[in-house]
Amino acid sequence: MVSAIYKILNKINNEPYVGKSKRVEKRWYQHISALNNGDHYNYLLQKDWNDYGPEAFSFEIIKEAEPEYLNELEQFYIAFYDAMNNGYNLTGGGNGCVGCSRTKKSKKKKNNIQ
């Protein structure tokens, strides 16, 4: 299994989701399974998956890395792709969502979904 930073890209609106995993192929399967079941934790990604369909999304490895560098690299690539403001990331990455705050865009999108 590959330890890497990965990107899920909506090919229609060019919005990315950047993530990290020590076992990236398994993580992609988890994303796809949750999205297909309609219960992905990321409501922004779930909404667009429902609206555009699976064929609108691509999965790619951005950078393979040793596990100890994943947090730092995830933060770098979320910033590089501006994935919080112009994508699906709800946090700046690194250590999950403990104490995180949402962007104005994600708050607006969530309010429009409900």
Side-chain angles (χ1 to χ4, degrees):
M1 293 271 176
V2 176
S3 172
I5 303 299
Y6 63 88
K7 178 172 67 170
I8 301 172
L9 180 67
N10 181 324
K11 298 180 285 187
I12 294 174
N13 63 18
N14 260 352
E15 290 190 3
Y17 171 84
V18 175
K20 67 175 186 275
S21 180
K22 294 177 185 176
R23 299 167 61 186
V24 74
E25 294 89 356
K26 180 179 179 182
R27 184 68 183 117
W28 283 348
Y29 173 80
Q30 292 169 334
H31 278 295
I32 292 169
S33 179
L35 288 163
N36 284 335
N37 288 327
D39 62 358
H40 197 278
Y41 69 91
N42 186 311
Y43 56 88
L44 301 174
L45 187 58
Q46 183 67 64
K47 180 188 180 308
D48 282 357
W49 184 272
N50 295 344
D51 289 348
Y52 297 114
E55 61 281 349
F57 292 85
S58 64
F59 292 74
E60 68 178 275
I61 291 175
I62 298 172
K63 182 166 185 66
E64 292 183 22
E66 295 299 320
E68 61 267 23
Y69 301 111
L70 291 177
N71 284 344
E72 182 179 339
L73 286 168
E74 182 185 38
Q75 291 170 341
F76 172 82
Y77 281 104
I78 288 171
F80 178 80
Y81 288 108
D82 194 23
M84 281 183 65
N85 295 308
N86 294 301
Y88 298 106
N89 285 84
L90 301 174
T91 72
N95 289 319
C97 193
V98 176
C100 67
S101 61
R102 305 287 185 232
T103 64
K104 287 180 185 178
K105 178 184 176 188
S106 73
K107 288 178 186 176
K108 182 178 178 184
K109 269 190 166 180
K110 184 173 184 183
N111 289 335
N112 290 336
I113 292 169
Q114 297 174 342

